[in-house]
Amino acid sequence: MNDKVMYDTIIIGGGPAGYLAAERLGHRGKKVLLIEEQHLGGTCLNSGCIPTKTLLNSAKLYAHAKEAEKFGIKAEGLSYDWTAIQNWKAEVVSKLRCGIEGQMKRCGVHVCNGRGQITSPPSGERPATVRSVSPNGADAMHEGKTVLVSAGSVPVLPSIPGAKDNPFVVDSTGLLSVQSVPKRLTVIGGGVIGVECAGLFSALGSKVTVIEMMDEIVPFMDKEQAPLLRRAMKDVEFKLGCKVININKEKKGAAVQYTAKNGSAETEEASLVLMALGRRPVLDTWGAAAAGIDASPKGVAVDDRMRTNVPGIWAAGDVTGKILLAHAAYRMAEVAVTDILSVLDGTGNPDGGWRMRYNAMPWAVYGITEAAGVGITGQEADAKGIAILKASLPAKFSGRFAAEHTFAGQGAVKVIASATDRRILGIHAVGAYAPEFIWGGAALIEQEFRIDEVRQLVFPHPTVSELIRDVVWGME
């Protein structure tokens, strides 16, 4: 079957990059086709960011209730209902998914349920052709003046012997849908996904062990901050510098065999094993080769306007392999949209057009203890030979933090600045609310604020964010 409508833009993938681009283009009156194989919202909404944070919120409420007596509140007979927690997660996801669907309708976006495949790229006056393969096997051909690829990413599943087809081994998607909280959870990988899931299930009573090949968790964190986050997760056992070599299936779980940092062979018994070794771009389902798009296992090659090497085709989000974060995907989509509009409207995107910048892209780790950062880390400055000024303060110096937390060692805020011109280069935080205020750090870096300029800003009191100002006042 052929779709005879000529679309201004065909978008492959309905995750954060795809649906936001569709919304922006539709709002500008463009005729848009959004092709999504599963649910709108992509991994983030359906099996990643949102369900994880929903479950974490329930775990936090439970953890805080257990220590409520220290704050003068007594809670007797405390327990949790995992089924009810899962039901709440499903309700949140459903509501947000419906919200995206409604927004697509309001913006006039045509949504097609299927797997999008580029069959030929646009060329001159000839439009691109894209096939959509629906779940029932029916094909439809579509034509569009431009194409945006936002096919997303999938979990990395390394070939560890015994992991494949093992009922006691899951990825992050499988873990978020387990029928009951595992008694013993072994997490392979100490990155963001592994740390968040470890915090979630340890708060609900699982005995959690994290096995990480590197010498520290969340390797991209500042080297002085990562240990703070790890120590704050006091109910989780971390085995660093260890390499998993095998996973044996047993009657009621699995035995994870690994080589310890000292070279000895060790085994960790688990009711369930989480493979949390990151994600990789989806490159093999949407017709990259047929379109002649430059792509490698690292992702689709794009310029700073999200253009691929093929005129008329852009890419945004995880499929680029640049930064696998939903807010990065949003920004990539907005940059791509401005360039697509310049082509569709014939304005040619002048030098003032939007461009993608990565130097001030914030990141966040959510858990019982949170962390966030933006800009360069201390180790990056050392590696690049950048002379820096740095200072930090424990989170307990914040009046709000002290009022709301019992564990004084739960966090700190660190600021890094250039030693030559005193520009703010990095802000890193461990502790409550860090993901909520780190955007301010991104703004300071984007606008090239200097130490003396930050000192003049007014932060509301009492907040944890005002530690940024306090730290800056302590810098030479």
Side-chain angles (χ1 to χ4, degrees):
M1 182 178 71
N2 291 323
D3 184 343
K4 295 182 179 181
V5 176
M6 174 62 70
Y7 293 99
D8 291 308
T9 305
I10 298 175
I11 301 174
I12 299 176
Y19 73 73
L20 188 71
E23 178 183 337
R24 297 286 189 266
L25 288 164
H27 183 72
R28 291 292 294 271
K30 302 306 178 185
K31 193 175 293 294
V32 181
L33 172 65
L34 175 60
I35 305 174
E36 168 55 46
E37 186 174 7
Q38 297 180 355
H39 299 292
L40 291 180
T43 296
C44 177
L45 173 54
N46 297 286
S47 58
C49 314
I50 302 304
T52 303
K53 279 55 182 179
T54 307
L55 297 178
L56 273 165
N57 181 62
S58 295
K60 286 180 181 181
L61 290 172
Y62 180 64
H64 293 164
K66 286 197 298 183
E67 62 176 16
E69 192 166 351
K70 296 178 182 178
F71 299 93
I73 307 298
K74 294 185 177 182
E76 297 179 358
L78 188 65
S79 65
Y80 65 82
D81 183 335
W82 180 247
T83 299
I85 291 173
Q86 287 282 21
N87 289 341
W88 172 241
K89 177 198 75 174
E91 183 179 341
V92 170
V93 170
S94 177
K95 286 180 179 178
L96 293 175
R97 190 188 296 157
C98 288
I100 295 173
E101 292 170 355
Q103 189 67 357
M104 294 302 99
K105 290 179 182 178
R106 284 189 289 273
C107 292
V109 175
H110 179 200
V111 178
C112 175
N113 180 219
R115 184 174 66 254
Q117 298 175 335
I118 302 173
T119 55
S120 66
S123 179
E125 296 299 318
R126 189 187 71 195
T129 57
V130 178
R131 175 188 292 114
S132 61
V133 181
S134 71
N136 61 17
D139 289 10
M141 296 299 295
H142 314 277
E143 293 185 340
K145 300 173 185 176
T146 60
V147 176
L148 173 64
V149 178
S150 54
S153 63
V154 293
V156 171
L157 296 175
S159 55
I160 297 175
K164 188 177 181 180
D165 298 326
N166 189 325
F168 301 110
V169 177
V170 296
D171 60 16
S172 56
T173 302
L175 182 66
L176 298 181
S177 299
V178 292
Q179 298 300 306
S180 61
V181 174
K183 290 183 178 180
R184 299 175 65 96
L185 175 66
T186 296
V187 179
I188 301 176
V192 174
I193 296 172
V195 167
E196 290 186 353
C197 291
L200 163 63
F201 285 95
S202 66
L204 295 177
S206 294
K207 183 183 182 304
V208 180
T209 301
V210 175
I211 302 175
E212 168 58 46
M213 187 166 61
M214 305 295 287
D215 289 333
E216 189 53 88
I217 62 170
V218 196
F220 59 78
M221 282 186 70
D222 185 89
K223 61 185 177 183
E224 295 175 350
Q225 293 259 302
L228 297 178
L229 177 60
R230 175 168 46 83
R231 289 196 292 269
M233 299 175 65
K234 53 186 182 297
D235 294 328
V236 177
E237 182 178 7
F238 291 94
K239 297 182 180 294
L240 305 177
C242 300
K243 182 178 180 180
V244 176
I245 56 176
N246 191 62
I247 302 176
N248 289 327
K249 176 183 173 183
E250 297 186 338
K251 270 190 176 183
K252 296 184 178 180
V256 180
Q257 297 178 333
Y258 63 95
T259 302
K261 192 172 183 178
N262 62 8
S264 64
E266 305 287 345
T267 300
E268 183 72 27
E269 301 290 336
S271 308
L272 195 66
V273 177
L274 167 64
M275 299 287 274
L277 296 168
R279 300 180 66 84
R280 63 172 180 81
V282 173
L283 303 170
D284 53 357
T285 62
W286 49 266
I293 292 175
D294 182 9
S296 71
K298 293 183 178 180
V300 174
V302 291
D303 66 9
D304 60 359
R305 290 176 177 170
M306 310 316 297
R307 301 165 176 167
T308 70
N309 63 303
V310 178
I313 300 180
W314 289 255
D318 287 6
V319 75
T320 67
K322 294 285 188 182
I323 299 179
L324 278 62
L325 297 170
H327 52 272
Y330 284 149
R331 182 60 180 173
M332 291 180 195
E334 290 172 334
V335 170
V337 164
T338 61
D339 202 52
I340 291 170
L341 287 171
S342 76
V343 171
L344 293 174
D345 297 339
T347 60
N349 205 347
D351 291 338
W354 289 11
R355 295 175 183 269
M356 194 66 198
R357 300 181 302 277
Y358 300 95
N359 65 305
M361 185 64 67
W363 56 264
V365 178
Y366 302 84
I368 305 305
T369 298
E370 299 176 336
V374 63
I376 68 169
T377 61
Q379 61 265 34
E380 287 173 334
D382 292 342
K384 295 177 180 178
I386 300 173
I388 61 172
L389 301 172
K390 64 178 182 177
S392 63
L393 278 176
K396 66 182 180 181
F397 277 63
S398 159
R400 182 177 184 185
F401 188 95
E404 296 181 0
H405 296 81
T406 60
F407 179 40
Q410 273 188 326
V413 171
K414 178 178 181 178
V415 179
I416 296 172
S418 166
T420 55
D421 62 12
R422 300 170 69 82
R423 281 184 301 118
I424 303 299
L425 301 178
I427 296 180
H428 307 277
V430 173
Y433 317 114
E436 294 296 331
F437 65 72
I438 199 60
W439 71 270
L444 297 179
I445 294 171
E446 282 274 12
Q447 298 302 313
E448 299 187 342
F449 270 57
R450 286 160 171 75
I451 290 173
D452 294 335
E453 293 169 328
V454 178
R455 287 174 176 172
Q456 298 180 52
L457 297 178
V458 178
F459 289 75
H461 176 80
T463 61
V464 180
S465 65
E466 65 184 322
L467 282 170
I468 294 174
R469 185 172 181 270
D470 293 338
V471 171
V472 168
W473 270 103
M475 302 179 81
E476 295 298 328

